[in-house]
Amino acid sequence: MRPPSPSIPEKEFIQISLQQSLRIDGRQMLEQREPSITFGPELGWVECGLGKTKVIAQIEAKIVKPTPERPYEGIITIHSELSPMASTEYDTGRPTEEEVTITRMLDKVIRRSDTIDKESLCILAKRRVWHLRLTLHFLSDDGNMLDCGCLAGIIALKHFRRPEVEVIGDDVTIHPPTERAPVPLAMHHTPLCLTFAFFPPSPTSDTTSALVLLDPSYLEQRLSTGLMSVALNAQRELCVVHKLGGVPMEIGEVMGVLDIAVKRAKELNRLVEDKLEEDWNTRKRIVEVR
Amino acid sequence: MNILPGEQVNAQHSKLKLGPGLLQISVGNASESAPQPIIATRAGTLKHSSNRSKWWIESNSRRYVPAAQEAVVGIVLQRLGEGYRVDIGTAHSASLDSLAFEGATKRNKPNLKAFPLLSFPACVGSLVYARVSLAHKDMEPELECFDAQTRKAEQFGELKGGFLVRCSLQMCRNLLDPKYFLLPLLGVKFPLEAAVGVNGRVWINAKEPKQIIAMARCIEAADPDGGGQDEIATKKLLDTLDV
């Protein structure tokens, strides 16, 4: 079923209130919803939430034969599917436009930006490599599932630890976590995705540049005249800039958006690191005693 | 008393009326001494009226299942020849007949173009406050915009301006309760309008956008499925909002 578009009063009210820099959930225009991060009992299981948007990310690792084209590299696959669980709008079967966008962005942000050192996933060249499978479950949709999904995926990768493997000659020994402490994945950087929504400026103001807001809610996302997703890491390295149609923007506006993203990415990165450390401190004892 | 789907309910009255969540099933021949059993179809708290004639199950959910005589807020999806297709948050959209308005009869059929007369929208995306007139499990729900007895509009009709808040069904029922704290609490601060549908949608209106936002946030905060805050915490939130 095609989702019913928001009603006229909703549309008008959102426009009027945004022109007065008021957002319906009381946020500032460039304020992100505070991410809630919960770790599961297993390593590599994380539930991430932005407001009411909720995503679970989970990592599984298994040993497979590498592809003949890349015999020295491990394999990473990302599985993300929007089920009707997220919202009544999503039906099983044909993927919606949003689902395709999310899947492709996740691929760009997590896989193609070289987040994971794939060569470190190689155990025995041409014969044994690690295959990481990242599964994302979208539990509920309150807008901006892309940022939430990316964040969940990245945190899960950072949280995950694979069993240690010992190679002697051609013999591969996998040490279970009870014998040797599992090792974290070798990661090059931590890309974070931030989505901006644009709204037309108020007709009475003399500026022509669009109203910019960070982390749109469901209604804002549906009613915006354009979305732009930026993926970058805390070291100011830009990975992806993604803008599918929508309102045209000038160079200055895009640069302004990027500056905001750089600032926010740093804060977000710190938050992620803190949360991971906090969680690791509760586990350390258990892992080392073993 | 908490109850689970499938459990039998011992409800007896000469004029028994079953509400949402209860179903009378047919097993063999009924008699005066052994009437057909009544079972629960959803989980929740079993409630009954003071004279034990009306029984229903109360539980919170987000998905609306239509029941006759309930007031709902809907979004017009489509205009059909004889009426409108309205989304009221149910599995199937409801239909609203063009004759189901105050002053409309078969002989005096309203000119569809002259709808301002009937204070009703002709465009897709409008909000409408209506009553469910037919809710049968095998048929699509039907709406009407007047009181069936008086044939007067009785506040039903198009909702212009304002904003639509979506909340849990329990929150809607709370808002309809005259003893519930939220609307009086907000009403002290500023004049407001609200149309509460029991389908998880509340239309709100006030003079200033920030007042509407304050209302929306307080409803969200007090929603048992959202913030779940009590009166004191909601009042504290409202005091920080500067309205």
Side-chain angles (χ1 to χ4, degrees), chain A residues 1 4-10 12-14 16-17 20 22-26 52 88 219, chain B residues 62-63 75 77 87 123-127 159 161-164 166 209-210 212-213 217 220:
Chain A
M1 192 184 85
S5 56
S7 66
I8 295 166
E10 281 173 294
E12 284 171 353
F13 181 72
I14 289 279
I16 290 167
S17 59
Q20 299 182 16
L22 294 167
R23 285 174 86 170
I24 196 72
D25 44 11
K52 280 190 172 172
T88 48
L219 211 53
Chain B
R62 294 202 145 251
R63 194 76 166 136
I75 302 169
L77 292 177
D87 169 44
C123 59
V124 170
S126 306
L127 286 179
L159 300 166
F163 186 64
L164 184 69
R166 286 150 215 262
K210 66 176 181 184
I212 295 181
I213 289 176
R217 288 187 66 190
E220 172 64 32

Side-chain angles (χ1 to χ4, degrees), chain A residues 40-282:
Chain A
E42 291 164 52
L43 293 164
W45 189 102
V46 61
E47 185 184 315
C48 190
L50 281 175
K52 280 190 172 172
T53 303
K54 285 220 157 36
V55 179
I56 287 179
Q58 191 197 3
I59 312 266
E60 280 171 330
K62 58 183 178 187
I63 294 171
V64 294
K65 201 173 184 295
T67 54
E69 306 90 67
R70 299 188 181 276
Y72 308 108
E73 288 186 3
I75 304 165
I76 302 167
T77 49
I78 303 171
H79 294 259
S80 59
E81 201 179 308
L82 291 179
S83 69
M85 185 168 28
S87 169
T88 48
E89 291 172 17
Y90 305 113
D91 234 332
T92 46
R94 215 167 68 92
T96 57
E97 196 184 323
E98 194 183 1
E99 183 175 346
V100 174
T101 314
I102 290 177
T103 313
R104 292 188 55 177
M105 264 303 269
L106 283 167
D107 192 62
K108 282 182 200 159
V109 175
I110 295 175
R111 233 153 61 99
R112 287 175 38 201
S113 77
D114 248 352
T115 310
I116 304 281
D117 181 8
K118 282 194 195 141
E119 283 175 9
S120 74
L121 295 175
C122 178
I123 301 166
L124 209 58
K126 295 179 194 170
R127 288 170 56 192
R128 292 257 192 285
V129 293
W130 283 106
H131 176 192
L132 296 181
R133 182 193 157 104
L134 166 62
T135 319
L136 291 162
H137 300 276
F138 294 91
L139 301 186
S140 77
D141 176 14
D142 190 25
N144 206 3
M145 284 198 290
L146 174 61
D147 288 9
C148 198
C150 280
L151 189 64
I154 287 290
I155 297 173
L157 286 169
K158 284 184 89 93
H159 190 240
F160 183 70
R161 272 149 175 75
R162 62 176 172 81
E164 198 180 339
V165 179
E166 202 173 21
V167 183
I168 303 166
D170 273 1
D171 287 342
V172 178
T173 325
I174 303 163
H175 295 285
T178 42
E179 258 175 42
R180 285 196 193 175
V183 288
L185 302 172
M187 287 176 79
H188 289 308
H189 66 141
T190 319
L192 297 162
C193 187
L194 294 164
T195 299
F196 295 85
F198 304 107
F199 278 83
S202 98
T204 50
S205 74
D206 34 308
T207 57
T208 51
S209 55
L211 296 168
V212 184
L213 46 96
L214 178 59
D215 185 23
S217 70
Y218 175 78
L219 211 53
E220 288 162 350
Q221 190 170 354
R222 284 295 302 275
L223 295 172
S224 67
T225 50
L227 292 168
M228 183 164 121
S229 296
V230 181
L232 76 173
N233 58 27
Q235 290 74 46
R236 300 171 60 98
E237 288 167 330
L238 203 55
C239 306
V240 188
V241 176
H242 177 94
K243 187 173 184 299
L244 285 181
V247 65
M249 289 175 75
E250 283 180 28
I251 300 167
E253 289 179 75
V254 176
M255 291 311 285
V257 165
L258 290 180
D259 278 342
I260 303 157
V262 165
K263 225 170 98 196
R264 182 62 202 161
K266 274 188 187 151
E267 291 166 9
L268 204 54
N269 189 54
R270 204 171 307 129
L271 178 96
V272 168
E273 294 293 337
D274 288 353
K275 284 274 180 188
L276 280 165
E277 202 188 318
E278 197 180 292
D279 177 70
W280 192 239
N281 286 339
T282 62

Side-chain angles (χ1 to χ4, degrees), chain B residues 188-243:
Chain B
V188 171
K189 293 261 179 185
F190 49 85
L192 59 89
E193 281 182 287
V196 183
V198 288
N199 59 338
R201 289 175 187 175
V202 182
W203 173 84
I204 52 175
N205 198 6
K207 205 163 155 250
E208 297 284 328
K210 66 176 181 184
Q211 292 170 338
I212 295 181
I213 289 176
M215 280 178 88
R217 288 187 66 190
C218 285
I219 291 174
E220 172 64 32
D223 192 336
D225 193 32
Q229 293 181 353
D230 58 359
E231 185 171 353
I232 300 156
T234 313
K235 198 167 188 310
K236 231 178 239 169
L237 171 73
L238 187 61
D239 288 337
T240 62
L241 292 180
D242 175 41
V243 282

Side-chain angles (χ1 to χ4, degrees), chain B residues 3-242:
Chain B
I3 197 161
L4 291 169
E7 259 184 81
Q8 201 161 330
V9 177
N10 191 22
Q12 282 172 355
H13 196 272
S14 55
K15 281 181 184 165
L16 190 64
K17 210 164 183 186
L18 297 179
L22 291 172
L23 182 75
Q24 190 164 38
I25 51 169
S26 53
V27 185
N29 291 326
S31 64
E32 195 68 30
S33 58
Q36 301 283 24
I38 294 158
I39 57 159
T41 56
R42 66 167 82 150
T45 319
L46 183 67
K47 301 224 167 161
H48 57 78
S49 58
S50 52
N51 64 351
R52 302 177 82 85
S53 69
K54 291 170 182 162
W55 291 72
W56 69 94
I57 290 177
E58 215 167 274
S59 61
N60 197 3
S61 69
R62 294 202 145 251
R63 194 76 166 136
Y64 178 62
V65 178
Q69 309 304 317
E70 287 184 336
V72 293
V73 175
I75 302 169
V76 176
L77 292 177
Q78 203 185 352
R79 230 184 105 171
L80 298 172
E82 286 293 291
Y84 300 89
R85 195 135 280 295
V86 183
D87 169 44
I88 52 169
T90 47
H92 301 279
S93 52
S95 69
L96 173 61
D97 199 87
S98 59
L99 294 178
F101 295 95
E102 182 186 338
T105 59
K106 275 223 169 76
R107 191 166 290 175
N108 176 24
K109 202 171 168 181
N111 177 8
L112 281 172
K113 278 183 188 131
F115 260 103
L117 231 168
L118 298 163
S119 74
F120 197 68
C123 59
V124 170
S126 306
L127 286 179
V128 53
Y129 191 49
R131 210 160 50 100
V132 179
S133 58
L134 181 90
H136 192 279
K137 63 173 177 167
D138 298 321
M139 290 164 74
E140 67 176 21
E142 277 178 25
L143 306 177
E144 62 188 15
C145 277
F146 59 65
D147 190 297
Q149 263 101 49
T150 60
R151 299 192 77 84
K152 286 277 183 292
E154 306 278 355
Q155 321 271 322
F156 290 114
E158 190 189 356
L159 300 166
K160 288 196 179 106
F163 186 64
L164 184 69
V165 182
R166 286 150 215 262
C167 58
S168 69
L169 302 188
Q170 182 62 51
M171 187 63 200
C172 285
R173 291 193 292 264
N174 285 349
L175 286 172
L176 283 173
D177 183 354
K179 289 196 282 290
Y180 193 64
F181 70 88
L182 190 61
L183 290 179
L185 181 73
L186 291 163
V188 171
K189 293 261 179 185
F190 49 85
L192 59 89
E193 281 182 287
V196 183
V198 288
N199 59 338
R201 289 175 187 175
V202 182
W203 173 84
I204 52 175
N205 198 6
K207 205 163 155 250
E208 297 284 328
K210 66 176 181 184
Q211 292 170 338
I212 295 181
I213 289 176
M215 280 178 88
R217 288 187 66 190
C218 285
I219 291 174
E220 172 64 32
D223 192 336
D225 193 32
Q229 293 181 353
D230 58 359
E231 185 171 353
I232 300 156
T234 313
K235 198 167 188 310
K236 231 178 239 169
L237 171 73
L238 187 61
D239 288 337
T240 62
L241 292 180
D242 175 41

